[in-house]
Structures are given as C-alpha cells and as structure tokens.
C-alpha cells in the first residue's frame, strides 16, 4: 500500500496489525504498533485513520495496568473524535473512559452513558454497538441505574453478530451478574 501511494489503506493496515499483534504478542506489542501507525498517519495526512488507531491505544495501556494514563488519553481522544465527527474513534475512546470510571467505583453522571448508547445504537455496526452499549451498561450500573443497565444488555443481546466477535464478553457477563 505504501509503495502504491495508498497511505489511507496502509494506515488501516497498521491498525489491524496492532490489534492482531496484541492478541498474539501482548499489549506492549499492540501499543507499539498503534503508536507507530498513528505517527505514520500523521506524517501522511490521514488524520481520521490516525485518530481511529489512537483510540485503541488506551485499551492496550489498560491491559498493561496503566489505567490512569489510559483514562487521561481516553478523555482527550473522545473530545477530538467528537469534534471531528469520527464516530468509531469516539465510541471506542468514550467506551473505555466510561468503563474505567465504573471500575474505579466513581458515581458518574448517567448522561454520558445515555449519549454513548444512543450514538452506538444509531450506527448499526455490531462492534460499535457492542463497545458503546456494553460500556454504557457498566457505567449505569455503577451509577445505580440497574433497570436501565439491564435494558441496554438486553438490547445488546438482540444485535446479530455482536457477541461472536466481542472481546469484552467477560466484562458484559460480570455486568449482567
């Protein structure tokens, strides 16, 4: 792709390679490739792809136990993604932010969760719905809104194909329990 001048395609491949590398070599490898992909995209002027790749970096940081660093990154990334209309990056970053806040035991405002659930549901894309509704349910559970969290989990279960590739299934099960 690089030799053919297809910078956008190469950027997307960087993101996919980072995801695959994380699964086989661990989060440190995924994070390194993620950072490399973001740098590549910035140099080549494909910022929307770079932002999408960057939105996964906090997931790797979380897996490495660097949750505070991940939380700082998610807030910044979610704001940038929202401002530029990059819906997949926004859903990814905001979802992790809400999950991390819920895990810290904070009593968050539920408006962020409701906005995320609405945005994710509107995309029709299974992985975006899975990320968004799962995080919103966890966030609402932490806020004490059990019925709404349960409602989102039921809605999520109705989305065809979402659970087959959903990497956060254990968190969803814990939330449901």
């Amino acid at each position: 792709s690089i030799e053919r001048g297809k910078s956008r395609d190469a950027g997307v491949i960087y993101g996919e390679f980072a995801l695959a590398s994380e699964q086989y070599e661990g989060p440190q490898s995924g994070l390194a490739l993620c950072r490399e992909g973001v740098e590549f995209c910035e140099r080549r002027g494909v910022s929307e792809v770079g932002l999408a790749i960057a939105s996964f970096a906090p997931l790797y940081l979380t897996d490495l136990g660097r949750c505070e660093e991940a939380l700082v990154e998610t807030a910044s990334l979610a704001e940038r993604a929202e401002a530029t209309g990059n819906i997949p990056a926004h859903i990814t970053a905001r979802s992790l932010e809400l999950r991390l806040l819920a895990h810290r035991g904070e009593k968050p405002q539920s408006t962020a969760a409701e906005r995320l659930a609405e945005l994710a549901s509107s995309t029709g894309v299974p992985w975006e719905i899975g990320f968004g509704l799962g995080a919103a349910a966890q966030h609402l559970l932490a806020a004490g809104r059990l019925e709404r969290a349960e409602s989102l989990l039921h809605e999520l279960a109705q989305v065809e194909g979402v659970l087959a590739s959903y990497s956060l299934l254990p968190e969803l099960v814990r939330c449901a329990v």
Side-chain angles (χ1 to χ4, degrees), residues 12-77:
V12 170
I13 292 168
Y14 258 114
E16 296 298 326
F17 191 42
L19 287 169
S21 178
E22 189 271 339
Q23 291 177 355
Y24 293 99
E25 297 180 24
Q28 188 63 45
S29 176
L31 180 62
L33 283 167
C34 183
R35 301 280 195 226
E36 187 178 325
V38 169
E39 183 180 310
F40 171 86
C41 289
E42 288 175 357
R43 282 194 323 264
R44 301 291 177 119
V46 284
S47 59
E48 77 282 357
V49 176
L51 184 56
I53 295 170
S55 71
F56 283 91
L59 293 169
Y60 306 135
L61 289 170
T62 300
D63 288 345
L64 290 166
R66 296 162 55 184
C67 296
E68 291 303 316
E69 188 178 343
L71 191 56
V72 169
E73 277 196 38
T74 59
S76 171
L77 287 165

Side-chain angles (χ1 to χ4, degrees), residues 71-146:
L71 191 56
V72 169
E73 277 196 38
T74 59
S76 171
L77 287 165
E79 288 174 13
R80 284 179 36 215
E82 185 174 23
T84 60
N86 191 324
I87 292 172
H90 183 203
I91 290 171
T92 303
R94 188 69 71 202
S95 293
L96 183 59
E97 179 184 29
L98 295 183
R99 278 189 179 87
L100 289 170
L101 290 172
H103 286 298
R104 284 181 15 173
E106 292 188 16
K107 299 292 183 199
Q109 293 182 350
S110 57
T111 56
E114 292 292 353
R115 285 194 312 267
L116 177 62
E118 183 179 317
L119 177 64
S121 292
S122 73
T123 69
V125 178
W127 80 262
E128 291 174 0
I129 295 169
F131 260 65
L133 267 58
Q138 289 178 356
H139 194 71
L140 291 165
L141 179 64
R145 295 193 49 212
L146 305 178

Side-chain angles (χ1 to χ4, degrees), residues 91-92 95 99 116-117 120-121 123-138 152-153 155-157 159-163 165-169 171-172:
I91 290 171
T92 303
S95 293
R99 278 189 179 87
L116 177 62
S121 292
T123 69
V125 178
W127 80 262
E128 291 174 0
I129 295 169
F131 260 65
L133 267 58
Q138 289 178 356
L152 288 177
L153 291 176
E155 183 180 337
L156 181 57
V159 178
E160 190 172 323
V162 73
L163 296 180
S165 63
Y166 196 64
S167 62
L168 298 172
L169 186 57
E171 285 192 28
L172 284 176

